[in-house]
Amino acid sequence: MFLSDRESSPAHLTSDPEQCPMALCISQQPLRYSLVSKATAQRIRTLEKIIGEDPGERGIQALFVQDELLKSSLSLSHASSVLITTGFPTHFKHDPPEENDGPPGAIAMAATLQALGKEVAIVTDHRALEMNIRIMKDAVEKGVIKTAVPVLSFQDSGPDSARHFLLHDGDPKRPRFDHLVAIERSGRAADGNYYNMREVNIKHLVDPIDNLFTTAAEIPGINTTGIGDGGNELGMGKVKEAVSAYMPNGKLIACDVAADFAITAGRPRPLPPHVASTSPDPAYPHHFAPSLKPHFPVSSMALPMAGDHLTQDPLHTHNPQPLFSWLSKAFTGL
């Protein structure tokens, strides 16, 4: 018997071992667990292996932590409001200086979360605000995302700036966001600077969005995810020791800011729809917490392969083809 914070009708018993539940801890403050079927967990682990490929031959396997994608996906499935950040101005002599993998990834994630009924916002550098607003407008016009999500900037104007950005009236019981995601976002190193892989300091192009992550770590109920392929991205401070030991120039460039979940993703192109689509796990739609207090209604974020039942898949409800066509062009610079 499972003790849960949500009442549900009795489920049909199954002898299929693939439908047996797994319980994973997705938060320490407060302590929360989430249920997921073994079959769904295996799909996500398969995807984690795919995105962990290392086409740049940097040796990113040294940064890999098993099940970070699974735990982050489960945590995001519980979230009601998600803040995404991106922007890595590594091409500091160009205008704009951004790498082109972060912004399309942020749009793809925003589209998926929006289709799942989450509130979504994107925060980026003030100097890149207009560019990201144009990207969002283009994505809406081409059917990549149903409606535009807010594109924000954050400026550190005082010691409580991050708290007021993350919380309604600075109240830790009223967070504006319950999950922060950094995807290919420049991360602050131990010396306070921001470095690209060639050890060039690009701090003059980067706003202190890291402060949102360090502040979120002090607020119960807000989880964070960092996604990167070099160890100098925001959130990858969780694997800082591995970055320092194994990545080129790692001791200098390693991000010092940790996320709850650090996902190593080296694959440079979007996955095909039948692999990358997201749908609930129908077997275990709710999580449980020792506190037994009500939490957000959830559905485990599965990543179904071809042939799976996709009736609740938001990317199949909302035609995925514009998304993947647009992403392919964005990633190839066309």
Side-chain angles (χ1 to χ4, degrees):
M1 180 181 73
F2 284 102
L3 185 62
S4 173
D5 60 345
R6 296 180 64 87
E7 183 177 357
S8 61
S9 58
H12 295 291
L13 295 178
T14 176
S15 59
D16 184 357
E18 292 299 303
Q19 296 305 317
C20 291
M22 297 172 54
L24 289 91
C25 181
I26 59 170
S27 173
Q28 291 291 339
Q29 292 294 333
L31 187 60
R32 290 178 179 171
Y33 291 80
S34 186
L35 291 177
V36 62
S37 68
K38 289 184 178 180
T40 294
Q42 185 54 49
R43 294 189 191 107
I44 297 177
R45 286 167 176 162
T46 298
L47 181 59
E48 186 173 53
K49 182 177 180 180
I50 293 171
I51 66 173
E53 293 177 0
D54 189 10
E57 298 183 347
R58 291 178 174 175
I60 64 173
Q61 290 86 355
L63 312 183
F64 176 77
V65 180
Q66 178 73 41
D67 286 342
E68 291 291 272
L69 178 62
L70 175 57
K71 293 176 182 178
S72 176
S73 297
L74 290 171
S75 177
L76 281 166
S77 77
H78 294 260
S80 60
S81 181
V82 180
L83 180 68
I84 302 171
T85 184
T86 190
F88 205 123
T90 190
H91 306 294
F92 56 94
K93 293 183 179 180
H94 296 257
D95 185 20
E98 265 72 23
E99 290 184 330
N100 66 353
D101 48 355
I107 294 290
M109 185 174 294
T112 301
L113 291 169
Q114 185 183 80
L116 287 168
K118 317 290 185 183
E119 293 184 10
V120 187
I122 293 176
V123 61
T124 189
D125 301 300
H126 183 74
R127 58 159 187 82
L129 195 60
E130 184 178 346
M131 179 192 75
N132 280 276
I133 291 174
R134 291 201 307 269
I135 291 173
M136 179 62 66
K137 181 180 179 181
D138 184 67
V140 172
E141 290 176 352
K142 290 182 169 58
V144 173
I145 188 169
K146 188 174 182 180
T147 58
V149 305
V151 180
L152 314 169
S153 66
F154 168 73
Q155 302 296 313
D156 189 357
S157 57
D160 294 326
S161 297
R163 291 185 67 86
H164 284 291
F165 189 95
L166 294 173
L167 306 171
H168 291 285
D169 300 321
D171 184 353
K173 296 182 180 180
R174 299 176 59 214
R176 287 191 173 92
F177 312 100
D178 34 51
H179 202 121
L180 312 184
V181 179
I183 176 168
E184 277 296 315
R185 169 71 192 176
S186 181
R188 187 166 58 218
D191 63 3
N193 292 319
Y194 296 79
Y195 296 98
N196 65 16
M197 294 298 290
R198 297 181 298 279
E199 299 182 288
V200 176
N201 184 7
I202 53 175
K203 183 177 181 178
H204 61 291
L205 296 171
V206 181
D207 290 343
I209 291 174
D210 305 66
N211 293 356
L212 299 179
F213 278 66
T214 56
T215 300
E218 302 170 356
I219 303 172
I222 302 182
N223 282 349
T224 56
T225 294
I227 305 171
D229 62 357
N232 55 349
E233 300 89 358
L234 177 54
M236 299 300 283
K238 182 174 181 178
V239 291
K240 179 182 176 181
E241 290 186 5
V243 176
S244 298
Y246 300 109
M247 298 304 293
N249 308 316
K251 291 183 179 179
L252 178 67
I253 70 171
C255 177
D256 196 45
V257 179
D260 295 314
F261 313 107
I263 299 171
T264 302
R267 190 179 181 93
R269 295 181 183 275
L271 298 170
H274 71 277
V275 176
S277 56
T278 307
S279 69
D281 180 353
Y284 304 102
H286 306 304
H287 76 161
F288 62 96
S291 64
L292 300 183
K293 295 180 180 178
H295 296 298
F296 305 117
V298 301
S299 56
S300 300
M301 294 180 69
L303 296 150
M305 307 298 281
D308 275 10
H309 186 55
L310 298 172
T311 55
Q312 299 186 68
D313 185 346
L315 290 183
H316 283 253
T317 302
H318 180 60
N319 181 14
Q321 203 53 47
L323 170 63
F324 291 99
S325 175
W326 184 83
L327 281 173
S328 295
K329 291 180 179 179
F331 272 82
T332 55
L334 298 178

